[in-house]
Amino acid sequence: MRGIILAGGSGTRLRPLTQVLSKQLLPVFDKPLIYYPLSVLMLSGIRDILVISGPGHLDQYRALLGDGDRLGIRLAYAEQDRPRGIADALLIGRDFVGDEQVALVLGDNVFHGHDLAPLLREQVAKLSGATLFGYAVADPQRYGVAVLDGDGRLVDIEEKPRRPRSNLAVTGLYLYDNEALDHAARLAPSARGELEISDVNRRFVAEGRAQLVNLGRGTMWLDAGTHESLMEAANYVRVVQQRQGTRIACIEEVAYRMGALDRSGLHAAIESVGVTSDYGRYLRQVLDEH
C-alpha cells in the first residue's frame, strides 16, 4: 500500500498565520502539524508516502523531511497548483500509487489512541473496496456524516447535512483499493469547482464495497483547520505528553518501534535533532530504554 498526505489548500481560515507558511507546517505544541498524519501512515505499516502541497511550499517540506531515509521510509513530493478538492490528490498521486492500494490522509488531521496502531494495520491487511473511519461529534452539521442501516452497514454519506441522520463524522483518513483512482478520474467538479472525496466514497457505497470503522471513545480525532481547533489540538498533545511522559506523533520513535530504523538509525536521528530540546532528549530516552 502507498500513502498520500494532502498538505495543500490555501489555509484561508488560519490567516495571517498561513500568509506565507503552509498550514501543515504550523506547530501543534512541540512538532509540525504534518508529523501527525505522517505518523498515522507509518503506524499503518506504510513506507512509501507522497506529500502533496501547493506552489512555493514543497521546498519547505523537503527541508523538514528530506527523502525519508532518516526515518527508514521513502518520501516523494508533488505539487497541487491550486486547491481542487480532496479527491484531486488521487489524480495527482496516480503515477506514484501505480497498481497498489492507497491510504489518503489529510495533512491537518490529528489522530491518537492506545489501540490506534493495531487497528490501522488490521484494516490495511483486510481492505476490500473502501474503509472509512467515523468519529462521534457533537456538531455533525459541519462534516460529512455517515449514515448506517439497522445492521450497522454504511448506506450513505451526507455532506454537511442540515438534519444529520447520525453523529458519526467521516474523518480525513481513507483506505482504498486501486479502483479509487479511476473513480476519482471520472468525477465531475462540484459547484465549487472541486473534486469531492464524498463522491468517491459514495461510489464504493453504491457498490456495497465500503465500510465504516467507528474509532470510538478510546481515540481522539481533531481537524486542526481553524485557530480554535489548532489550539485545542496543541492543548490535547501537551496534556497527554506531560501526564504520560510519552510523545504523540514522534516520527523518529514511530520509525524505530515499527522496525524501519535500527539503533544506529535512531542515534543518527538524535544527532540530527540534537539533545538541547525536550524532543531530542526524549529520543535519547527512547534509545536508552531499548
Side-chain angles (χ1 to χ4, degrees), residues 42-47 117 121 253-261:
M42 293 170 65
L43 288 169
S44 303
I46 299 170
R47 296 193 182 185
R121 291 195 290 273
E253 180 187 13
V254 172
Y256 182 55
R257 297 191 186 278
M258 292 292 294
L261 282 185

Side-chain angles (χ1 to χ4, degrees), residues 267-278:
H267 187 273
I270 294 170
E271 291 293 316
S272 175
V273 174
V275 293
T276 57
S277 67
D278 288 341

Side-chain angles (χ1 to χ4, degrees), residues 21-287:
L21 190 67
S22 175
K23 171 175 62 175
Q24 291 80 11
L25 292 172
L26 295 174
V28 174
F29 189 52
D30 60 345
K31 60 191 75 70
L33 176 53
I34 196 171
Y35 274 34
Y36 296 85
L38 175 57
S39 69
V40 166
L41 295 182
M42 293 170 65
L43 288 169
S44 303
I46 299 170
R47 296 193 182 185
D48 290 279
I49 298 168
L50 177 68
V51 177
I52 298 174
S53 192
H57 296 313
L58 287 179
D59 286 344
Q60 296 171 320
Y61 287 105
R62 289 190 181 98
L64 176 67
L65 301 170
D67 62 3
D69 183 64
R70 71 179 183 88
L71 298 171
I73 62 176
R74 290 170 292 276
L75 291 173
Y77 300 88
E79 180 180 293
Q80 185 184 48
D81 58 359
R82 62 180 178 83
R84 291 192 181 89
I86 297 171
D88 187 46
L90 297 174
L91 304 185
I92 295 171
R94 183 158 200 159
D95 289 342
F96 173 81
V97 174
D99 58 1
E100 296 191 36
Q101 295 175 320
V102 60
L104 171 62
V105 63
L106 303 188
D108 59 1
N109 275 217
V110 176
F111 296 85
H112 177 250
H114 180 267
D115 297 323
L116 181 62
L119 172 66
L120 293 174
R121 291 195 290 273
E122 176 190 359
Q123 295 304 322
V124 166
K126 68 180 186 180
L127 173 64
S128 178
T131 296
L132 313 177
F133 296 87
Y135 190 83
V137 296
D139 49 353
Q141 299 88 347
R142 294 177 50 208
Y143 304 95
V145 175
V147 180
L148 308 179
D149 65 14
D151 296 319
R153 289 188 295 263
L154 181 63
V155 295
D156 196 7
I157 298 171
E158 299 178 323
E159 195 63 34
K160 297 181 179 179
R162 294 180 61 184
R163 296 181 179 179
R165 287 188 278 169
S166 88
N167 68 338
L168 287 175
V170 178
T171 71
L173 174 62
Y174 317 90
L175 305 181
Y176 295 122
D177 274 340
N178 191 263
E179 58 261 41
L181 305 177
D182 292 330
H183 292 342
R186 288 191 286 264
L187 290 181
S190 67
R192 299 183 299 172
E194 297 184 352
L195 301 179
E196 302 290 350
I197 199 67
S198 290
D199 291 337
V200 175
N201 296 335
R202 288 192 193 97
R203 178 65 179 269
F204 281 104
V205 171
E207 296 172 350
R209 301 182 61 236
Q211 68 159 332
L212 184 85
V213 176
N214 189 348
L215 291 175
R217 294 187 178 184
T219 302
M220 172 62 74
W221 169 65
L222 292 164
D223 175 358
T226 65
H227 294 99
E228 292 78 10
S229 59
L230 193 66
M231 181 66 72
E232 183 181 3
N235 285 332
Y236 174 81
V237 172
R238 177 184 62 83
V239 170
V240 170
Q241 291 187 169
Q242 290 182 352
R243 291 191 177 184
Q244 296 185 354
T246 59
R247 287 285 192 277
I248 299 173
C250 178
I251 54 178
E252 296 85 358
E253 180 187 13
V254 172
Y256 182 55
R257 297 191 186 278
M258 292 292 294
L261 282 185
D262 57 16
R263 285 184 61 84
S264 63
L266 182 57
H267 187 273
I270 294 170
E271 291 293 316
S272 175
V273 174
V275 293
T276 57
S277 67
D278 288 341
Y279 190 89
R281 286 191 290 271
Y282 174 75
L283 287 176
R284 179 79 246 183
Q285 177 184 330
V286 170
L287 184 64

